[in-house]
Amino acid sequence: MAEYDYDLITIGAGSGGVRASRVAAAHGARVAVAEEHRVGGTCVIRGCVPKKMLIYGAHFAEDLEDAKHFGWDIPECTFDWVKLRDNVLGDVDRLNGLYTKTLESHEVEIFHERATITGPHEITLSSGEKKTAKVILIATGARPHVPSFPGHELGITSNEAFHLDAIPKRVLIAGAGYIANEFAGIFNEFGAKVTLINRSDQLLRGYDESVRDRLLQISLMKGIDFRFNAEFIKIEENEDGSLTAHMTNHEPLEVDCVMFATGRVPNVEGLGLEDVGVEVDEKGAIKVDEYSKSSVDHIYAVGDVTNRVQLTPVAIREGQAFADTVFGDKPTTVDYGCIPSAVFSHPPIAAVGMTEAEATNTLGSIKVYTSDFRPMKNVVAHRNERALYKMICDAATDRVVGMHMIGPESPEIMQAAAIAVKAGLTKADFDATVAIHPTMSEELVLLK
Ligand SMILES: Cc1cc2nc3c(=O)[nH]c(=O)nc-3n(C[C@H](O)[C@H](O)[C@H](O)COP(=O)(O)OP(=O)(O)OC[C@H]3O[C@@H](n4cnc5c(N)ncnc54)[C@H](O)[C@@H]3O)c2cc1C
């Protein structure tokens, strides 16, 4: 008889948990995973994937306008939110099925239930059933943080945004991170009057100032309003179902929907961590070492619950590294250097490496090359939106240490450019590469 029911029990079947479970099983481990919502986790069910589909759907508003300038006679268009919503949710169902099949084909047992840790090697499912494992992996992700003030419960989060019955006519989005800016773009393109409220006067902290400023200018041009240095006082529901948001430093605002995109907190409540001695930091994130091991020897954690870098590809790498280390006899750590990222705003932003400010502080002497241009398509379309590409180099070595872009397709372009930055290439290497003409990305090898 084996000492434990399983070699590994994973709590949470999201990006990190699914990868870790499937790879551990491929290494020969007996694996079970507990999932309280839907297999696939945030990214697949209510994050990256459905969001990107809404971004595509939203962008047609501009494409259809632009097409007129390319000779297309576009009759008056109407937009059917319910059709888009249901098509997106249909694809989410398909992916949920695929992720489930992946686990099943690797003989990973799935418990469609909440799990809590109730002993050093034991979990208890919500049905009351207890299971034991040699190793426990916590991959429970994060959830939206909603500030506490009178009426906050009248608002929604990104979780609910994918299921709305209709596009609200007036939306107030709280927050200034990537989720807030992406949904501001989505609702705005669908014809809603969007206002973004933020505690500070900065959007997208962590991104380079020039691209943040450019997004602000373009968003204002598209009709998105901003209320900076504002904190909620209360939200009241009116007789007609609309909401009035009261905030500091600004007049009250009547809207039909308030959406909170005010950060995400690690899912650790009620997991039983204290009872088994798993330590968390001041934000509630599970403390782990470079191999994702917690303060307890046989309990590990990967993904958003550790609050290292809250992105799907990072959670996946952490899950893979965990499985290779613990079950594949191949100790592996994740390299967190030069992680590229994107904001799928309209237009999108993409970045890798240091911002200009960070590079100045770290390296002292830097060189900055920029291209501020109006993409050819925007010229013909009479769209007065300029793209901005910025390359930051270490003045001493010519090495490219950061790249920042805002403009059409910039995340697609950045994924390729990030390879060069990660590889430590220099400005001269970029210059030595012949341009593909005419493209937007050729600006990268023609930067002055
Ligand atoms: C709106 C939105 C857009 C995003 N867009 C992007 C993007 O464009 N690109 C990108 O890289 N990242 C994006 N992200 C972030 C990305 O979704 C996360 O970084 C990623 O999903 C983290 O994976 P994870 O495995 O740590 O957790 P998750 O994918 O969140 O999985 C955790 C799972 O654990 C389950 N769970 C929690 N507690 C328990 C319990 N006690 N018992 C059983 N199950 C439990 C949850 O139900 C969940 O399914 C987005 C997130 C959101 C919210």
Side-chain angles (χ1 to χ4, degrees), residues 245-298:
H246 299 262
M247 59 200 92
T248 55
N249 297 326
H250 297 269
E251 292 296 303
L253 185 69
E254 193 180 300
V255 292
D256 304 294
C257 173
V258 176
M259 175 176 155
F260 294 103
T262 33
R264 295 180 60 78
V265 288
N267 269 330
V268 291
E269 274 79 16
L271 262 184
L273 300 184
E274 325 68 56
D275 302 340
V276 285
V278 172
E279 288 175 16
V280 298
D281 69 13
E282 64 290 347
K283 289 189 173 147
I286 296 178
K287 290 190 199 170
V288 287
D289 69 10
E290 57 184 332
Y291 294 103
S292 294
K293 191 201 281 187
S294 78
S295 48
V296 176
D297 241 8
H298 60 277

Side-chain angles (χ1 to χ4, degrees), residues 373-391:
F373 64 102
R374 197 167 167 206
M376 190 189 273
K377 186 168 168 242
N378 285 358
V379 176
V380 180
H382 296 187
R383 184 169 288 284
N384 190 19
E385 273 176 36
R386 297 181 70 81
L388 178 66
Y389 293 3
K390 187 166 171 183
M391 180 187 274

Side-chain angles (χ1 to χ4, degrees), residues 15-261:
S15 307
V18 167
R19 174 59 68 95
S21 302
R22 140 170 113 61
V23 176
H27 285 313
R30 294 168 304 138
V31 185
V33 55
E35 170 53 56
E36 68 174 343
H37 184 54
R38 297 183 71 188
V39 172
T42 304
C43 175
V44 172
I45 307 295
R46 45 196 183 186
C48 337
V49 172
K51 171 203 79 186
K52 186 73 187 285
M53 290 177 189
L54 294 188
I55 301 277
Y56 280 131
H59 204 71
F60 277 105
E62 293 187 7
D63 290 339
L64 288 165
E65 252 334 285
D66 293 354
K68 293 177 189 164
H69 296 281
F70 288 86
W72 292 90
D73 183 16
I74 312 279
E76 200 177 319
C77 291
T78 55
F79 167 66
D80 184 344
W81 159 252
V82 171
K83 189 167 196 172
L84 174 63
R85 181 200 65 191
D86 291 349
N87 285 345
V88 169
L89 295 179
D91 208 58
V92 166
D93 289 345
R94 184 182 67 84
L95 291 170
N96 169 235
L98 281 181
Y99 275 75
T100 305
K101 266 204 195 112
T102 302
L103 289 175
E104 286 170 351
S105 66
H106 284 82
E107 294 181 4
V108 174
E109 197 167 338
I110 307 172
F111 303 116
H112 296 276
E113 291 176 64
R114 180 172 170 78
T116 52
I117 302 176
T118 44
H121 289 272
E122 181 191 80
I123 62 141
T124 300
L125 298 167
S126 47
S127 58
E129 217 178 324
K130 294 184 187 302
K131 301 282 173 190
T132 58
K134 189 167 176 221
V135 176
I136 294 175
L137 175 67
I138 304 167
T140 49
R143 64 176 189 283
H145 163 74
V146 175
S148 188
F149 62 89
H152 69 84
E153 69 283 355
L154 296 167
I156 64 165
T157 68
S158 56
N159 285 353
E160 292 74 40
F162 298 109
H163 300 270
L164 289 171
D165 291 332
I167 293 293
K169 288 201 170 59
R170 300 159 299 177
V171 191
L172 179 61
I173 298 180
Y178 78 96
I179 296 176
N181 280 283
E182 290 174 344
F183 274 93
I186 290 169
F187 284 125
N188 182 58
E189 300 285 321
F190 288 149
K193 174 69 208 158
V194 177
T195 308
L196 204 137
I197 162 177
N198 188 35
R199 280 194 309 197
S200 78
D201 60 356
Q202 287 186 352
L203 296 181
L204 294 171
R205 213 156 20 96
Y207 282 89
D208 193 86
E209 204 171 332
S210 328
V211 297
R212 289 157 38 182
D213 283 351
R214 181 62 53 91
L215 179 66
L216 178 59
Q217 285 165 27
I218 295 177
S219 298
L220 285 165
M221 226 161 58
K222 289 184 195 288
I224 298 174
D225 279 343
F226 291 85
R227 295 198 170 184
F228 289 125
N229 301 313
E231 295 215 36
F232 281 106
I233 298 168
K234 61 179 173 178
I235 300 175
E236 289 172 325
E237 186 162 17
N238 305 315
E239 268 176 22
D240 62 358
S242 65
L243 306 171
T244 301
H246 299 262
M247 59 200 92
T248 55
N249 297 326
H250 297 269
E251 292 296 303
L253 185 69
E254 193 180 300
V255 292
D256 304 294
C257 173
V258 176
M259 175 176 155
F260 294 103

